[in-house]
Amino acid sequence: MSPLRSHPARRRRLSRFALPLGALLLALPLAGCGSDDSDDDAGSGDAGSFETVSIDHVFGTTEIDERPERVVTWGWGSADAALALGVTPVAMPTNSYGATEEGYMPWQKEAIEASGDEEPTLLTDAEAPPFEEIAAANPDLILANYSGITEADYEKLSKIADTVAYPDQPWATPWRDVITTVGDALGKSEEADTLLEEIDGEVAQAATDHPEFEGKTIAAVAIDPSAFYVYRAADPRVQFLEDLGFTLAPSVGELDTEEDTFFYTISTEEVDKLTSDVLLSYVPNEERLAEIEGDKTFSAMEQFRAGTVANVVGEDIVSSVSPPTALSLTWGLDTFVESLATATQGAR
């Protein structure tokens, strides 16, 4: 999981495992022996023919020759796309930010319960993929198409099962591409297209209902006590805002001097230079919101003075749109749009 996937303060610990990866890889053939109960496995796909799929990504091309029956996801969004397409992963990442006690996002929990499938194994919350745990799930497909895996990680994962990585930059795959890639990999391309049409319809309706968004400039940020994070144009959060009619503020590009893929930081001395009609601020809770609003550092920002800050408050709501997924986008859309509408009223 990205250290900045939902909130910039989220830093992951590398996990430690008792068994070496090789030992579990050697054991995998034994796991496949015995009675064939694949039809009962969570994540089994639809019956019928499956045409070979080739998916290009940053580390090469992955060919999937058979319909996946045991799917493992890593990163953000892939599990949601699979669930939305009727495939419950056998293993998926544990979530902590805005999640249930078990480690599911609320929309994931709802989808799993509705499916009637066995609950997935939740993988250890860590910076690097927990290879042993993934291997133990005996997957035939690993979806990491919105993640931060390295080439070395990819090589290890590919020894476990066919693995799909991100197309170009880590943690920057557009949310629509996450859905279409998962659909292709699962042999559910048409279903993925239909799902996108439904989601796009809801987003388009929200934009229609709020014509005041059209052409307004916006900057999306997360304000931690230790840093001020700004999201770049390539980030799916920004792309979602553009879908609603907003335009990324020119100041976002003008202040960008770092080399991270989807965000950069600015000093408190420069925050007043981040100008925009609306400032979108992702805030974990009301306590942190009060701290931000009471911090004189930000009183120099025109958005705070004008009352055009859209605060998205609450870990679950922040996660639902930061960035959105096949399940979370519509789950948090109304609350998100309401926050933007309130802030935009004061924008010129």
Side-chain angles (χ1 to χ4, degrees):
M1 188 67 68
S2 164
L4 294 174
R5 198 274 304 154
S6 285
H7 192 269
R10 301 183 66 201
R11 298 288 173 181
R12 308 286 186 154
R13 298 185 303 273
L14 291 176
S15 53
R16 299 178 182 271
F17 304 98
L19 295 177
L21 175 61
L24 273 169
L25 292 178
L26 290 172
L28 285 180
L30 295 176
C33 295
S35 61
D36 183 5
D37 58 355
S38 61
D39 289 341
D40 297 327
D41 287 331
S44 54
D46 295 339
S49 61
F50 181 89
E51 296 184 4
T52 298
V53 178
S54 296
I55 299 177
D56 296 329
H57 51 77
V58 69
F59 302 126
T61 300
T62 298
E63 287 196 356
I64 304 169
D65 298 323
E66 298 180 354
R67 186 180 299 279
E69 294 186 341
R70 297 184 61 81
V71 178
V72 167
T73 67
W74 182 251
W76 179 250
S78 298
D80 291 14
L83 286 165
L85 293 172
V87 175
T88 302
V90 293
M92 57 186 279
T94 298
N95 294 283
S96 56
Y97 191 88
T100 65
E101 290 184 2
E102 304 104 303
Y104 298 107
M105 300 311 297
W107 49 87
Q108 294 173 339
K109 185 69 173 177
E110 292 172 6
I112 293 168
E113 290 179 347
S115 74
D117 292 335
E118 181 180 346
E119 289 191 353
T121 297
L122 291 178
L123 302 169
T124 296
D125 182 12
E127 186 74 27
F131 302 106
E132 289 83 359
E133 295 177 25
I134 291 173
N138 195 17
D140 50 24
L141 177 65
I142 301 169
L143 294 170
N145 49 316
Y146 183 89
S147 72
I149 62 171
T150 64
E151 186 169 9
D153 293 336
Y154 172 76
E155 293 298 330
K156 292 178 182 179
L157 292 171
S158 295
K159 292 178 181 178
I160 300 172
D162 290 336
T163 300
V164 178
Y166 43 89
D168 184 21
Q169 296 293 327
W171 302 113
T173 309
W175 65 268
R176 287 185 178 84
D177 291 354
V178 173
I179 296 173
T180 55
T181 300
V182 170
D184 290 344
L186 299 178
K188 292 176 172 285
S189 299
E190 292 184 3
E191 292 93 330
D193 290 341
T194 299
L195 175 63
L196 275 175
E197 288 177 4
E198 294 172 353
I199 296 173
D200 283 340
E202 293 202 38
V203 175
Q205 186 61 56
T208 298
D209 292 343
H210 293 277
E212 69 272 21
F213 294 169
E214 185 66 31
K216 291 291 190 299
T217 62
I218 195 166
V221 303
I223 307 172
D224 276 351
S226 59
F228 191 104
Y229 298 86
V230 183
Y231 294 104
R232 287 189 168 97
D235 188 74
R237 298 167 182 80
V238 173
Q239 295 161 5
F240 178 34
L241 291 167
E242 292 172 336
D243 291 337
L244 290 170
F246 290 96
T247 299
L248 184 64
S251 63
V252 173
E254 294 165 359
L255 294 172
D256 188 354
T257 60
E258 299 180 8
E259 296 182 356
D260 289 285
T261 58
F262 65 97
F263 74 97
Y264 63 90
T265 60
I266 57 176
S267 68
T268 54
E269 290 79 10
E270 289 188 305
V271 294
D272 62 313
K273 298 179 182 178
L274 186 68
T275 57
S276 61
D277 293 326
V278 176
L279 183 73
L280 173 59
S281 176
Y282 301 103
V283 188
N285 51 53
E286 293 289 344
E287 180 181 2
R288 179 60 189 144
L289 176 61
E291 292 172 351
I292 294 171
E293 292 181 337
D295 192 329
K296 295 181 180 179
T297 301
F298 308 116
S299 61
M301 298 186 70
E302 63 177 28
Q303 301 94 329
F304 279 86
R305 296 198 309 271
T308 59
V309 179
N311 293 299
V312 179
V313 184
E315 292 184 356
D316 53 352
I317 297 298
V318 169
S319 292
S320 72
V321 293
S322 183
T325 73
L327 293 176
S328 73
L329 188 151
T330 53
W331 187 90
L333 183 61
D334 289 346
T335 301
F336 183 61
V337 169
E338 183 180 348
S339 297
L340 290 167
T342 299
T344 305
Q345 288 177 0
R348 297 177 181 178

